[in-house]
Amino acid sequence: QVQLLESGGGLVQAGGSLRLSCAASGRTFSSYAMGWFRQAPGKEREFVAGINWSGERKYYGNPVKGRFTISRDNAKNTVYLQMNSLKPEDTAVYYCAGGRGATIPTDYDYWGQGTQVTVSS
């Protein structure tokens, strides 16, 4: 069992940066792929970024490629999402997830409660 807690969301101007963190409880964190998803009001949950258990393989959704970077520190049971060059369309609740990986929500078994990111124009 893994419990996930996101932090680092907030309000930022367009062009700015934020770093999200996701702290995981449980001794098996390093065995899971981790991902970040986001959901804006009235829209489906969207894949943002994923990382395999070792951190060697990373993948991104098209809207964030070149702007966002996912990383993990297994010694700290934490996964990060560095978000640069933020745009108003990045506004959403961001969720951390753990599981088998890949890009669809059903591939993940564990979810955090979400953190709000708001980008003003």
Side-chain angles (χ1 to χ4, degrees):
Q1 187 78 6
V2 175
Q3 293 183 325
L4 304 173
L5 182 63
E6 303 97 334
S7 60
L11 174 65
V12 64
Q13 289 188 332
S17 298
L18 281 176
R19 187 195 196 201
L20 304 184
S21 298
C22 174
S25 65
R27 294 176 294 176
T28 59
F29 172 79
S30 62
S31 65
Y32 289 99
M34 299 297 295
W36 287 95
F37 288 77
R38 67 186 182 186
Q39 190 165 18
K43 295 187 176 181
E44 293 187 351
R45 193 162 293 192
E46 176 187 34
F47 172 74
V48 175
I51 188 168
N52 76 328
W53 69 273
S54 67
E56 294 178 349
R57 189 165 67 91
K58 305 174 184 180
Y59 37 101
Y60 299 92
N62 286 335
V64 308
K65 282 181 180 177
R67 299 188 297 122
F68 291 11
T69 302
I70 189 171
S71 62
R72 68 188 296 164
D73 185 338
N74 288 342
K76 295 182 178 180
N77 279 12
T78 303
V79 63
Y80 305 96
L81 185 68
Q82 178 66 44
M83 306 185 295
N84 298 329
S85 302
L86 282 161
K87 305 175 181 179
E89 51 263 43
D90 294 319
T91 296
V93 177
Y94 282 71
Y95 297 90
C96 171
R100 292 169 289 169
T103 62
I104 58 175
T106 52
D107 283 332
Y108 293 84
D109 302 308
Y110 305 105
W111 292 85
Q113 86 292 345
T115 185
Q116 176 70 47
V117 171
T118 303
V119 184
S120 62
S121 58

